[in-house]
Amino acid sequence: MSKETKTKFVTKDILNSSIKGAFIKLNPRYMMKNPVMFVVELGFAVTLLLCFLPDIFGDTGSNLRLYNGIVAVILLITVLFANFAEAVAEGRGKAQAQSLKKTQKDMQARILSEDGRETVISAGILKKGDIVLVKAGEVIPNDGEVIEGIASVDESAITGESAPVLKENGGDFASVTGGTTVVSDWLKIQITSNPGESFLDKMISLVEGASRKKTPNEIALNTLLVSLTIIFLIVIVTLYPIAVYSGVRLQISTLIALTVCLIPTTIGGLLSAIGIAGMDRVTRFNVIAMSGKAVEACGDVDTMILDKTGTITYGNRMASKFIPVGKEIEQDLIRYGVISSLKDDTPEGKSVVELGERLSGKHQEPEMGMEFLEFTAQTRMSGVNLPDGTRIRKGAYDAIQKYVGDLGGQIPKDLETRVNEVSKLGGTPLVVCAGDRIFGVIYLKDTIKPGLVERFARLRAIGIKTIMCTGDNPLTAATIAQEAGVDSFIAECKPEDKIKAIKAEQSEGKVVAMTGDGTNDAPALAQADVGIAMNSGTSAAKEAANMVDLDSDPTKILDVVEIGKQLLITRGSLTTFSIANDVAKYFAIIPAMFMAVIPQMKVLNIMQLSTPYSAILSALIFNAVIIPCLIPLAMKGVKYKPQRSEKMLSHNMLIYGLGGIIAPFVGIKLIDIIITPLLSLLGL
């Protein structure tokens, strides 16, 4: 399984650009996109005006000018902190984009004309349909399909994987990506994208954030935050005449401070950063999401459709068991099976040696004089002739049966039974003989990838249904499904069956994810809510999907779903924390506003804050500093543990709900202790 790319949280360059970006984003036209923080910026403008013209609102006195100035500064810092959080998230993406842009710089292309002549041009002017020739050591200038040649391609500039990938015409490995390097031989490539539309261009655009749009959940949450802001604004507006009627004189700056403290500024300041960071985390896991909606949909996945071969199993049949027949013993079968496979470089042959040495505890090396025979379609068996004349063979049941029969040997009575047992389990039986004696059967089966059983159990724990698709017969499919621990399977599955399965799940209101790499997977990838195409796959598959796995690891879908879950949990947790904060800030500001005139309000001053001014400013300062304190959490995400929704909700309510109430009580009190002496020196 691929590991997430580890990078520093904030580099010096990102920090410098983020500080600059925080001020640039103060532009009201930009701030209007975030209504909650726009209200805070308007509050800053009004309190700044009060510093110079207090009389227009009926406020007088030099102390009030100073108080208004302090409030204005804190409000400005609050907006800057929110902008800084978003700028940091964008900065991480832009830093990654710069490294990708290096692969495009000064790229040349050798274009072929219809008469076969070669012309070197700038890669930037290549058009869809052009034919280019790329030789060893040269960079592929743009996305395309191999139409002639076979070569190894280094895709490390895109995927980070150092091992070259073999590319050739036809099949699922004909697609090549611009920016990768041909390391051997040559390729003739037909360009499949116009300038600015290549996969690398899309990657750069996505990681820079230029193409990001608000996701449905983000829009819904933004609507909630705007609604809460409007409600609190109405409350504050009606509070002023009530206070006047009660004989309490409230400064406009105090009302603004109350508004800013009660509206959900914490989540409002971090909302964009959380969304950007979610896409960033997927990108650093070597998966390119074509939209934020795709990442978010991963968090809502209910059903996961997976291919068996290459995803759940290795795709190569591996030795699983040695089954002796007749009166033979297992140790003899293991010995002859291993010797016959010492020079067998197929995955099956290597697995026989590995299993045999593990069971016997002995390491076997080829001896001088051994004559090895390779498997052929005609003989349907392979083996070795030993120096002492012993002839060991392993192969298909009927081939070995005929071979031993021709030598005059006896066929064990239980051999056919053992062979049929293996076949019914969906395995491949390899019969082993030495001379005219048959020693037993090697059970080859498509092996489940390690760790998948536990991962499927984790998915089941969070309510995600897994469906395995395979072309195997129902008996084999049932055996693999049971071993892997998937919830259900589709045997003898055709491409149209995948689409049918996806639509059936979606008709029940479920969100479906699947992986694929071939052209025949494209319709199903397009139909699925989350479609992850392999980078090694065809252009059709990558165009149809809304995510591309650069490592071409089909099991990555399991990781991406957890990243999507983490994104939603992070957003929900910080929203809970932000709204819970209002409880403490309410107990800080409301008593401070009224207790001078209404002494009975002192009972609500449970934090024992020193003065009305210190109470209001302490709450306002805490409201500002909590935003940068939560930036690391917004970037890295809340730690995710697979569990049922009900348990997850209660856990997050306990941690972020209760924590969101307790933290401000402690923080505001500490700030009050620190600033009270300073305010007394200033006469406040």
Side-chain angles (χ1 to χ4, degrees):
M1 185 185 71
S2 280
K3 300 292 184 185
E4 183 177 2
T5 306
K6 300 294 181 183
T7 56
K8 288 181 68 175
F9 173 59
V10 178
T11 63
K12 184 178 179 181
D13 290 339
I14 292 176
L15 181 62
N16 292 336
S17 65
S18 298
I19 293 172
K20 182 180 177 182
F23 284 93
I24 293 174
K25 291 174 185 292
L26 289 174
N27 186 329
R29 286 181 297 180
Y30 183 86
M31 291 300 298
M32 287 179 70
K33 297 177 183 177
N34 188 340
V36 176
M37 299 315 298
F38 183 60
V39 170
V40 181
E41 187 175 47
L42 288 178
F44 157 70
V46 173
T47 51
L48 183 64
L49 184 65
L50 286 172
C51 295
F52 304 101
L53 302 169
D55 292 341
I56 62 173
F57 291 102
D59 295 337
T60 57
S62 58
N63 284 352
L64 285 177
R65 289 175 185 267
L66 178 59
Y67 170 68
N68 293 341
I70 295 172
V71 171
V73 170
I74 297 173
L75 292 179
L76 175 61
I77 292 172
T78 302
V79 178
L80 289 174
F81 280 160
N83 290 347
F84 178 75
E86 185 175 354
V88 167
E90 291 175 347
R92 283 161 63 88
K94 288 177 181 177
Q96 191 176 8
Q98 289 302 317
S99 66
L100 292 172
K101 285 180 179 178
K102 290 178 183 178
T103 64
Q104 288 187 316
K105 191 175 181 182
D106 302 325
M107 204 181 292
Q108 300 292 309
R110 186 186 288 104
I111 190 169
L112 298 176
S113 59
E114 291 183 1
D115 57 7
R117 287 186 300 171
E118 299 179 10
T119 307
V120 178
I121 63 171
S122 171
I125 61 176
L126 282 175
K127 304 184 300 298
K128 188 174 182 178
D130 286 344
I131 308 295
V132 297
L133 177 66
V134 186
K135 298 180 180 179
E138 296 178 347
V139 177
I140 295 173
N142 208 337
D143 296 354
E145 295 278 349
V146 176
I147 58 174
E148 189 178 332
I150 178 170
S152 295
V153 177
D154 178 4
E155 298 184 327
S156 58
I158 305 296
T159 68
E161 177 58 52
S162 57
V165 180
L166 196 66
K167 297 288 184 178
E168 60 182 321
N169 179 32
D172 292 341
F173 292 91
S175 173
V176 291
T177 305
T180 57
T181 305
V182 175
V183 294
S184 71
D185 303 292
W186 56 271
L187 292 173
K188 192 179 288 187
I189 300 166
Q190 183 173 33
I191 301 301
T192 56
S193 61
N194 289 316
E197 298 176 358
S198 72
F199 182 63
L200 191 57
D201 289 315
K202 291 176 183 177
M203 285 175 62
I204 293 170
S205 176
L206 286 163
V207 298
E208 282 186 322
S211 300
R212 289 189 181 101
K213 297 179 181 179
K214 288 188 182 295
T215 63
N217 278 349
E218 227 174 326
I219 293 170
L221 182 54
N222 210 46
T223 303
L224 172 64
L225 299 182
V226 170
S227 301
L228 289 174
T229 301
I230 293 172
I231 290 170
F232 281 120
L233 282 173
I234 295 171
V235 170
I236 300 305
V237 169
T238 57
L239 185 63
Y240 187 80
I242 293 172
V244 172
Y245 179 79
S246 303
V248 179
R249 180 61 183 273
L250 296 178
Q251 288 78 30
I252 298 300
S253 53
T254 297
L255 291 173
I256 291 172
L258 178 62
T259 304
V260 170
C261 285
L262 293 185
I263 63 176
T265 50
T266 305
I267 187 61
L270 295 171
L271 187 58
S272 295
I274 294 169
I276 295 170
M279 288 189 69
D280 183 55
R281 279 197 297 279
V282 171
T283 303
R284 291 174 191 279
F285 218 85
N286 262 5
V287 175
I288 296 299
M290 300 306 179
S291 68
K293 183 179 179 181
V295 181
E296 192 173 87
C298 289
D300 291 325
V301 166
D302 301 297
T303 303
M304 194 179 293
I305 295 179
L306 303 154
D307 277 326
K308 185 206 77 172
T309 305
T311 303
I312 295 174
T313 66
Y314 283 106
N316 296 315
R317 296 182 181 270
M318 316 289 275
S320 173
K321 191 177 181 181
F322 290 93
I323 307 171
V325 294
K327 296 180 180 179
E328 307 297 342
I329 61 173
E330 187 180 35
Q331 288 303 316
D332 288 340
L333 172 61
I334 292 173
R335 176 172 172 267
Y336 289 124
V338 169
I339 291 174
S340 67
S341 304
L342 288 175
K343 287 291 185 178
D344 187 346
D345 290 329
T346 64
E348 293 88 349
K350 291 178 180 178
S351 71
V352 170
V353 175
E354 183 181 336
L355 178 63
E357 291 182 347
R358 189 168 71 247
L359 292 176
S360 66
K362 298 177 183 178
H363 178 65
Q364 183 77 43
E365 289 285 350
E367 298 176 5
M368 291 290 294
M370 284 185 175
E371 181 189 356
F372 290 92
L373 286 78
E374 293 185 2
F375 176 88
T376 65
Q378 289 75 28
T379 63
R380 295 172 63 220
M381 59 184 176
S382 62
V384 59
N385 297 331
L386 301 182
D388 64 4
T390 304
R391 299 174 182 273
I392 305 171
R393 299 288 185 270
K394 74 176 194 295
Y397 163 61
D398 54 348
I400 296 295
Q401 186 182 39
K402 182 178 185 303
Y403 174 79
V404 171
D406 291 343
L407 293 176
Q410 296 294 317
I411 307 300
K413 294 180 179 179
D414 60 342
L415 176 62
E416 186 175 1
T417 302
R418 298 287 177 258
V419 168
N420 289 337
E421 286 174 353
V422 171
S423 299
K424 286 178 181 178
L425 290 172
T428 300
L430 274 184
V431 181
V432 178
C433 71
D436 61 357
R437 287 173 60 187
I438 294 178
F439 285 83
V441 178
I442 301 174
Y443 174 17
L444 298 180
K445 71 172 185 176
D446 206 350
T447 308
I448 306 295
K449 290 185 176 181
L452 277 187
V453 175
E454 293 78 10
R455 297 179 78 184
F456 285 136
R458 285 166 59 189
L459 292 173
R460 195 174 299 108
I462 57 177
I464 295 179
K465 177 183 177 183
T466 49
I467 300 175
M468 181 187 77
C469 293
T470 175
D472 291 335
N473 62 66
L475 184 61
T476 303
T479 303
I480 296 293
Q482 185 176 11
E483 286 186 32
V486 294
D487 296 308
S488 62
F489 64 90
I490 302 173
E492 299 174 345
C493 182
K494 299 181 288 295
E496 54 267 29
D497 294 328
K498 293 181 183 179
I499 300 177
K500 185 178 178 182
I502 292 170
K503 288 182 176 179
E505 293 294 317
Q506 289 174 331
S507 66
E508 298 177 11
K510 295 178 180 178
V511 177
V512 182
M514 77 158 286
T515 61
D517 57 3
T519 301
N520 61 349
D521 290 325
L525 288 168
Q527 180 66 40
D529 300 283
V530 178
I532 302 183
M534 302 299 103
N535 191 41
S536 61
T538 62
S539 296
K542 288 190 276 191
E543 287 294 326
N546 50 23
M547 286 186 173
V548 177
D549 174 22
L550 301 181
D551 295 329
S552 300
D553 177 6
T555 62
K556 190 80 71 67
I557 190 172
L558 307 175
D559 303 298
V560 173
V561 165
E562 292 194 350
I563 291 173
K565 292 280 185 187
Q566 186 184 40
L567 170 64
L568 296 181
I569 291 168
T570 300
R571 190 182 292 154
S573 298
L574 292 182
T575 301
T576 302
F577 184 87
S578 176
I579 295 174
N581 275 195
D582 290 344
V583 176
K585 288 181 280 189
Y586 171 87
F587 279 102
I589 296 181
I590 296 296
M593 293 171 63
F594 291 97
M595 64 186 180
V597 178
I598 308 174
Q600 293 85 347
M601 292 290 287
K602 288 184 180 180
V603 73
L604 294 178
N605 186 20
I606 58 179
M607 284 181 274
Q608 298 297 304
L609 302 177
S610 305
T611 66
Y613 285 134
S614 72
I616 293 167
L617 293 177
S618 296
L620 206 56
I621 292 171
F622 176 85
N623 191 67
V625 300
I626 196 64
I627 294 175
C629 289
L630 291 174
I631 290 177
L633 184 62
M635 296 291 104
K636 295 179 181 179
V638 173
K639 188 175 181 180
Y640 171 70
K641 292 182 180 179
Q643 53 190 337
R644 290 287 178 183
S645 301
E646 301 81 8
K647 188 175 180 181
M648 193 182 303
L649 177 62
S650 60
H651 176 267
N652 286 344
M653 286 299 291
L654 178 65
I655 300 297
Y656 297 97
L658 187 59
I661 294 173
I662 295 173
F665 274 97
V666 177
I668 291 171
K669 180 60 180 177
L670 288 175
I671 294 170
D672 177 72
I673 294 171
I674 294 170
I675 70 170
T676 296
L678 299 175
L679 293 178
S680 63
L681 290 175
L682 297 172
L684 292 174

